[in-house]
Amino acid sequence: MGNCVSFQISCDQTMNRMLTFLFSKGYIEKLEENLNYLVKEMKFLMAVKDEVLIKVGREQWLHQQRRPTVQEWLTRVDDAYARFKILVKKLRLEGYFKEVTELPPRPEVVKRPTWGTVGQEEMLETASNRLIDDNVGIMGLHGMGGVGKTTLFKKIHNKFTEISGKFHIVIWIFVSQGANITKVQEDIAQKLHLCGDEWTKKNESDKAAEMQEDVCKEDGCKVAFTTRSEDVCKRMGDHDPMQVKCLKEDQAWELFKLKVGDEQLRREPRIDVLARKVAEKCHGLPLALSVIGETMASKTTVQEWEDAVYVLNRDAAEFSDMENDILPVLKYSYDNLLDDKVRLCFLYCALFPEDGQIDKEGLIEYWICEGFMGEYQVLKRAINKGYGVVSTLIRANLLTAVDTKTVMMHDVVREMALWIASDLGENKENFVVQARVGLHQVPKVKDWKAVKRISLMGNKIEEMTCSSKCSELTTLLLQSNKLEILSGKIIQYMKKLVVLDLSSNINMSGLPGRISELTSLQYLDLSDTRVEQLPVGFQELKKLTHLNLASTSRLCSISGISKLSSSRILKLFGSNVQGDVNLVKELQLLEHLQVLTIDVSTELGLKQILGDQRLVNCIYRLHIHDFQEKPFDLSLLVSMENLRELRSLALNLHYPGLGLLTV
């Protein structure tokens, strides 16, 4: 009379699932969800064990003998729990590496993302065949902006994935307008893995010779490129270049229909007639057809289509040649945006480098401080509104989504944005934009008083200078340069400055005392700099709402931060400033604070934060470290409803129902 007990659950599989859900690259992600899952799995396993022990005890009381398979399973459960704790500790110890990276093998071809095309099939076949011809060493494609050169070129590039072994390596390089030789050499050298001190010390000629030698070792070396100029093709050595032309009328209509949708065009016969007129104004330019087509896809009445025809006829008629006609055509999508605030947001995107990716979160923070999101009390609502604007611009084909976090602006759309920002070319110094073009000094500007926004990000500028007052300047983007300090003489001219980004200037060690004269400043980014202390005048920035001091490894104190009464966003994550008791007291005085990223190294400081629910709700990123005296109870962090990232180092962690873990 014995009972037979059968089990379908494996304790080894349970442990594996728990490990997978809990740990990822040193971070603890989805804290509450993962920990609850872990506790649930472990409790379930232990509950099953308890049930088995009860049954075994009951049967043994009846003088039944415990089966060997049951005893073996109980032993495995105990062993799994023990191994789980040992494994965590072992992984932590094994995670200290002397070297964590190495040069990757050079891929033969890295496929580039492309979208469907209309009317380019013949050109694609002709260009591909020409390039693989053994008698062709250089091939140029030329055509006006937005005609589809890059899309066509990507498709040619990707065809090499289908021709195994034809080329040992294929290098794709983007050369922006205004880029210098050094910048192009650096990009190519990176793809060829030419680096090190010896390479850095070479001059341009020697670098060119070494790259040529490296490339010419490969048999059948070829160069292919796109440009807007036929002259460039000939200077490069292609005396019979291929021209990428605009689409023929029937091809253009097919592309326009694809973007608008057949159902929309069948809604009313007159819409079909008007749609053909709108398509004609795009002059067969694929980019214009796509942008206008996406815009018109939401227009459902004859009146809306009639208005589109009128607007396009009125603006485009003012320009004589094809190149100039396109900007007014694209401008219709800009004019059709919801309101002036959204239009300002769009123009702002032109401040970023040509063909560069734009981080959505950072872009939206700029917009908020510039006032584009309007007045707000709850920061999260302004942020959500900003994401809505980004989506609007993507749907209007004025921005392109790269992934969930970044977007891009087509170079012709960017040119159109700069053209609009300069009052249709009448005041070109409204926006001074030379981002990531290899500058070593500030470009010459005829009239600094006319400048409203400056973007010189991603260059090698060591000193910011201007020859006269920048009395109208509201935006100054200088991130990722080689600045050591921002001159006080410059600051005195910038009374209207709202946004100042100095991040990633790794040589910058401080700010001038005259920073206090920036009475309109709302956004200041000093992240990834070597700033050691904040000047006394810093506390006078009463309008400052966004302050980013993340990864400032030499900054030890921000005493007096409580005097920045307008602060809404404060980023200290990865800085040398620790969330001790004194800092927490100052943070509690910032009554408008809504986003906080911070490092905490004392239990008392953390307890003080946890004791203030308003402060708890502000925390988006938290780094806890050096808590080694006793186990830290992770359940205390569950109340941080906005916590996106938790990083911990060398901690003894405790969670109810699980026990002690060391990570």
Side-chain angles (χ1 to χ4, degrees):
M1 287 190 57
N3 289 336
C4 179
V5 184
S6 176
F7 304 96
Q8 298 296 320
I9 184 169
S10 166
C11 59
D12 299 294
Q13 293 174 356
T14 301
M15 186 176 71
N16 289 337
R17 289 202 303 273
M18 291 189 293
L19 286 171
T20 300
F21 270 80
L22 184 60
F23 297 105
S24 175
K25 296 183 180 179
Y27 290 81
I28 301 178
E29 301 173 346
K30 298 181 180 179
L31 176 65
E32 184 175 2
E33 178 184 345
N34 291 347
L35 288 175
N36 287 339
Y37 181 88
L38 177 64
V39 171
K40 179 181 176 181
E41 289 287 329
M42 184 59 76
K43 284 184 175 179
F44 179 75
L45 181 61
M46 300 310 291
V48 173
K49 174 189 172 183
D50 290 342
E51 289 180 2
V52 172
L53 288 174
I54 290 172
K55 290 181 179 181
V56 168
R58 185 167 54 245
E59 296 299 322
Q60 287 181 335
W61 188 77
L62 296 173
H63 306 291
Q64 299 292 321
Q65 183 177 351
R66 182 184 300 188
R67 288 188 173 186
T69 54
V70 173
Q71 180 57 50
E72 191 271 339
W73 184 87
L74 291 171
T75 302
R76 286 173 60 203
V77 171
D78 292 336
D79 181 59
Y81 185 75
R83 284 190 296 117
F84 176 75
K85 294 197 291 184
I86 294 171
L87 180 58
V88 172
K89 184 175 181 180
K90 183 173 181 290
L91 288 173
R92 177 179 66 84
L93 295 175
E94 291 178 351
Y96 295 101
F97 300 98
K98 210 171 204 183
E99 295 182 358
V100 297
T101 62
E102 63 182 7
L103 289 175
R106 296 190 301 199
E108 184 176 324
V109 185
V110 177
K111 197 167 187 177
R112 307 191 72 82
T114 59
W115 291 266
T117 57
V118 174
Q120 288 189 327
E121 295 78 13
E122 184 178 347
M123 186 70 167
L124 173 62
E125 189 67 23
T126 301
S128 299
N129 290 337
R130 184 183 179 196
L131 189 56
I132 62 176
D133 187 335
D134 292 336
N135 296 318
V136 175
I138 188 164
M139 184 184 78
L141 298 178
H142 70 93
M144 65 176 301
V147 78
K149 299 185 299 296
T150 302
T151 299
L152 180 63
F153 212 61
K154 286 180 179 178
K155 288 184 174 292
I156 295 171
H157 174 274
N158 290 345
K159 283 181 73 71
F160 292 124
T161 62
E162 305 166 9
I163 310 174
S164 178
K166 181 66 178 178
F167 297 102
H168 294 135
I169 181 172
V170 177
I171 299 175
W172 177 286
I173 295 294
F174 176 79
V175 183
S176 62
Q177 292 184 5
N180 58 24
I181 294 176
T182 301
K183 175 67 167 58
V184 177
Q185 285 183 334
E186 288 176 356
D187 289 343
I188 296 175
Q190 184 179 10
K191 301 294 176 67
L192 294 173
H193 293 164
L194 297 174
C195 55
D197 293 338
E198 185 177 345
W199 167 261
T200 305
K201 293 176 182 177
K202 293 179 182 291
N203 57 35
E204 287 183 357
S205 298
D206 291 338
K207 287 180 178 179
E210 184 171 344
M211 284 190 292
Q212 183 176 11
E213 180 182 355
D214 192 75
V215 171
C216 289
K217 290 177 182 177
E218 308 291 341
D219 293 332
C221 173
K222 297 176 183 288
V223 175
F225 61 94
T226 68
T227 174
R228 297 187 186 183
S229 171
E230 184 177 0
D231 289 340
V232 170
C233 292
K234 293 180 178 179
R235 289 200 301 269
M236 287 288 291
D238 187 353
H239 299 290
D240 186 23
M242 300 178 65
Q243 182 181 9
V244 183
K245 299 179 181 180
C246 290
L247 300 178
K248 297 177 182 178
E249 185 175 346
D250 59 334
Q251 295 171 335
W253 176 239
E254 289 301 317
L255 178 57
F256 191 74
K257 282 200 304 181
L258 181 66
K259 296 297 180 180
V260 175
D262 285 334
E263 182 179 348
Q264 184 78 306
L265 297 174
R266 290 196 299 265
R267 187 184 298 272
E268 155 62 71
R270 286 179 292 173
I271 288 181
D272 185 275
V273 175
L274 292 167
R276 289 181 182 274
K277 292 182 179 180
V278 173
E280 287 174 6
K281 297 306 299 180
C282 295
H283 302 286
L285 186 70
L287 178 63
L289 290 161
S290 297
V291 171
I292 301 297
E294 292 284 353
T295 298
M296 298 308 297
S298 62
K299 309 302 180 186
T300 59
T301 67
V302 171
Q303 291 77 12
E304 288 175 305
W305 281 88
E306 287 178 339
D307 183 63
V309 172
Y310 168 77
V311 171
L312 292 174
N313 277 325
R314 181 195 62 196
D315 284 349
E318 298 178 7
F319 297 83
S320 58
D321 59 81
M322 183 68 168
E323 184 80 16
N324 290 332
D325 282 348
I326 289 305
L327 296 181
V329 170
L330 292 178
K331 184 175 179 291
Y332 176 73
S333 289
Y334 165 83
D335 293 333
N336 204 54
L337 291 172
L338 298 175
D339 53 43
D340 288 340
K341 297 287 188 183
V342 177
R343 295 186 190 98
L344 285 171
C345 290
F346 165 70
L347 297 181
Y348 208 86
C349 297
L351 296 173
F352 292 85
E354 182 180 345
D355 205 42
Q357 296 185 8
I358 306 172
D359 176 67
K360 290 181 185 179
E361 182 177 334
L363 176 64
I364 292 169
E365 288 178 0
Y366 284 147
W367 287 348
I368 291 173
C369 292
E370 293 278 5
F372 299 162
M373 298 297 101
E375 295 293 328
Y376 66 92
Q377 295 297 323
V378 180
L379 179 63
K380 192 170 184 178
R381 291 179 183 172
I383 293 174
N384 289 342
K385 185 177 180 180
Y387 277 102
V389 172
V390 171
S391 296
T392 296
L393 295 176
I394 292 173
R395 289 193 297 270
N397 245 23
L398 294 172
L399 289 180
T400 301
V402 178
D403 51 39
T404 58
K405 294 183 178 180
T406 59
V407 293
M408 291 181 67
M409 177 179 273
H410 190 283
D411 57 349
V412 177
V413 175
R414 182 174 179 269
E415 285 187 13
M416 183 263 290
L418 292 173
W419 175 68
I420 295 172
S422 66
D423 300 329
L424 307 188
E426 294 295 321
N427 298 299
K428 294 186 177 180
E429 291 181 344
N430 283 352
F431 274 39
V432 176
V433 182
Q434 293 196 39
R436 207 173 63 194
V437 295
L439 292 179
H440 286 79
Q441 58 186 15
V442 176
K444 293 181 180 180
V445 176
K446 291 181 180 179
D447 185 9
W448 282 103
K449 294 180 182 178
V451 179
K452 296 178 181 178
R453 294 194 166 91
I454 297 177
S455 175
L456 301 175
M457 66 174 76
N459 287 296
K460 299 178 181 179
I461 298 171
E462 296 181 2
E463 182 181 9
M464 176 64 196
T465 59
C466 63
S467 57
S468 62
K469 295 181 179 180
C470 306
S471 55
E472 298 300 314
L473 186 66
T474 62
T475 307
L476 181 56
L477 306 180
L478 294 172
Q479 61 264 43
S480 301
N481 273 283
K482 293 187 175 182
L483 295 173
E484 294 184 6
I485 194 168
L486 191 65
S487 168
K489 293 181 180 179
I490 298 294
I491 288 177
Q492 65 178 326
Y493 300 137
M494 302 178 179
K495 302 299 183 183
K496 293 185 179 181
L497 191 65
V498 174
V499 170
L500 175 59
D501 196 330
L502 299 169
S503 61
S504 299
N505 280 282
I506 60 174
N507 296 325
M508 179 169 283
S509 59
L511 292 173
R514 299 188 74 165
I515 192 79
S516 60
E517 297 180 26
L518 298 179
T519 53
S520 299
L521 194 66
Q522 294 193 37
Y523 178 106
L524 178 60
D525 193 341
L526 296 171
S527 61
D528 290 293
T529 64
R530 296 184 180 181
V531 170
E532 297 178 0
Q533 61 182 7
L534 302 178
V536 175
F538 194 82
Q539 300 171 8
E540 301 302 318
L541 301 176
K542 301 300 183 183
K543 291 187 177 181
L544 192 67
T545 61
H546 180 293
L547 177 58
N548 191 346
L549 298 172
S551 300
T552 48
S553 58
R554 297 190 179 186
L555 182 64
C556 298
S557 172
I558 54 172
S559 178
I561 197 73
S562 59
K563 294 184 179 180
L564 299 179
S565 55
S566 298
S567 292
R568 284 177 166 80
I569 298 178
L570 178 59
K571 299 181 179 181
L572 302 172
F573 193 86
S575 75
N576 200 33
V577 177
Q578 302 298 317
D580 57 20
V581 174
N582 292 329
L583 176 59
V584 174
K585 287 181 179 179
E586 290 213 54
L587 295 178
Q588 289 173 325
L589 297 176
L590 296 174
E591 58 182 22
H592 298 295
L593 188 65
Q594 297 181 45
V595 172
L596 175 65
T597 72
I598 192 170
D599 289 25
V600 179
S601 60
T602 67
E603 184 177 2
L604 191 58
L606 183 59
K607 283 186 176 180
Q608 191 158 350
I609 291 176
L610 295 172
D612 187 331
Q613 191 58 43
R614 185 186 68 85
L615 210 54
V616 166
N617 292 338
C618 292
I619 296 180
Y620 276 58
R621 300 178 73 191
L622 177 63
H623 182 193
I624 303 174
H625 55 94
D626 298 332
F627 280 40
Q628 298 189 14
E629 295 181 1
K630 59 181 181 179
F632 172 70
D633 189 352
L634 280 173
S635 65
L636 296 174
L637 305 184
V638 173
S639 61
M640 293 184 178
E641 59 183 30
N642 291 315
L643 185 63
R644 297 179 180 178
E645 180 181 334
L646 171 66
R647 184 181 299 180
S648 60
L649 292 175
L651 292 187
N652 291 323
L653 305 179
H654 179 271
Y655 195 83
L658 177 60
L660 179 64
L661 300 175
T662 301
V663 298

